């Protein structure tokens, strides 16, 4: 009669638990697929954005500056907004869709959040700059980036500058 080595059995059990955990995490992190369109699709979403570059001007390092950017879906299908990130932890991005505020996004990507802007609806992208979080003096340049399912604008980049005193 063969006796199994308890160390080998323990290693096998740990391997099964780890592999099962990886499978569960990969399945739970995937949401429903985002509808994709081609540029030639007449029913595609179309992002209109009020501006992509702006200047906060001179600000004190203890100030908090906010800018709201208008987003409009002038297409015939829902516009999906996702994967918002910023270039610095002192900068935050927040979407407001139908009066509902998204979480505030910073440098850490949140792959689970998605916002939907229906055809002919508008939304806001609120950009918040708090220089005291990552102190810098002089001219600073920051960026907010997010993805859409508009095939003409799949990756949107907004940039701003400020002179921090």
């Amino acid at each position: 009669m063969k006796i199994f080595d308890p160390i080998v059995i323990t290693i096998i059990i740990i391997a099964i638990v780890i592999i099962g955990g990886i499978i569960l995490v990969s399945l739970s992190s995937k949401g429903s697929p985002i509808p994709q369109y081609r540029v030639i699709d007449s029913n595609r979403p179309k992002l209109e954005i009020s501006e992509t570059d702006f200047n906060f001007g001179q600000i004190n390092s203890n100030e908090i500056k906010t800018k709201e950017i208008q987003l409009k879906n002038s297409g015939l299908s829902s516009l999906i907004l996702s994967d918002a990130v910023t270039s610095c932890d002192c900068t935050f991005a927040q979407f407001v869709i139908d009066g509902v505020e998204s979480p505030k996004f910073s440098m850490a990507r949140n792959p689970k959040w998605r916002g939907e802007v229906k055809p002919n609806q508008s939304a806001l992208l609120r950009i918040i700059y708090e220089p005291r979080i990552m102190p810098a003096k002089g001219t600073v340049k920051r960026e907010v980036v997010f993805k859409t399912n508009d095939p003409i604008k799949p990756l949107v980049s907004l940039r701003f500058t400020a002179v921090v005193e």
Side-chain angles (χ1 to χ4, degrees):
M1 181 172 168
K2 288 187 175 181
I3 298 177
F4 293 103
D5 186 357
I7 294 174
V8 173
I9 292 174
T10 302
I11 291 172
I12 291 171
I13 291 172
I14 290 172
I16 291 171
V17 168
I18 290 173
I19 291 169
I22 291 171
I23 291 170
L24 284 175
V25 166
S26 70
L27 291 175
S28 68
S29 67
K30 293 181 181 178
S32 59
I34 296 174
Q36 299 298 310
Y37 300 88
R38 297 175 308 175
V39 174
I40 60 171
D41 290 338
S42 60
N43 66 331
R44 69 178 176 81
K46 295 178 187 173
L47 172 64
E48 292 180 19
I49 188 163
S50 62
E51 60 186 304
T52 56
D53 290 280
F54 61 93
N55 188 336
F56 276 129
Q58 283 194 303
I59 65 172
N60 185 294
S61 62
N62 292 322
E63 283 184 81
I64 297 173
K65 288 288 192 172
T66 302
K67 174 81 171 180
E68 291 186 342
I69 306 290
Q70 192 82 349
L71 307 174
K72 182 176 182 185
N73 179 8
S74 61
L76 299 176
S77 296
S78 289
L79 175 71
I80 306 298
L81 310 172
S82 64
D83 294 302
V85 293
T86 67
S87 61
C88 181
D89 276 334
C90 61
T91 304
F92 302 92
Q94 183 177 42
F95 295 97
V96 182
I97 303 170
D98 289 331
V100 178
E101 296 179 341
S102 74
K104 287 183 180 176
F105 304 104
S106 192
M107 289 180 76
R109 188 174 155 268
N110 180 347
K112 292 183 180 182
W113 184 87
R114 293 180 185 163
E116 179 179 356
V117 182
K118 303 246 186 237
N120 293 313
Q121 283 191 331
S122 294
L124 287 176
L125 171 57
R126 185 176 295 142
I127 298 173
I128 305 151
Y129 178 49
E130 296 186 45
R132 68 177 168 72
I133 293 174
M134 298 288 293
K137 297 283 184 190
T139 302
V140 295
K141 296 179 181 185
R142 300 290 184 257
E143 188 171 21
V144 173
V145 178
F146 63 93
K147 292 181 181 179
T148 79
N149 65 334
D150 177 345
I152 300 225
K153 296 178 183 146
L155 190 64
V156 179
S157 176
L158 296 100
R159 293 164 297 284
F160 71 85
T161 57
V163 178
V164 182
E165 301 173 337

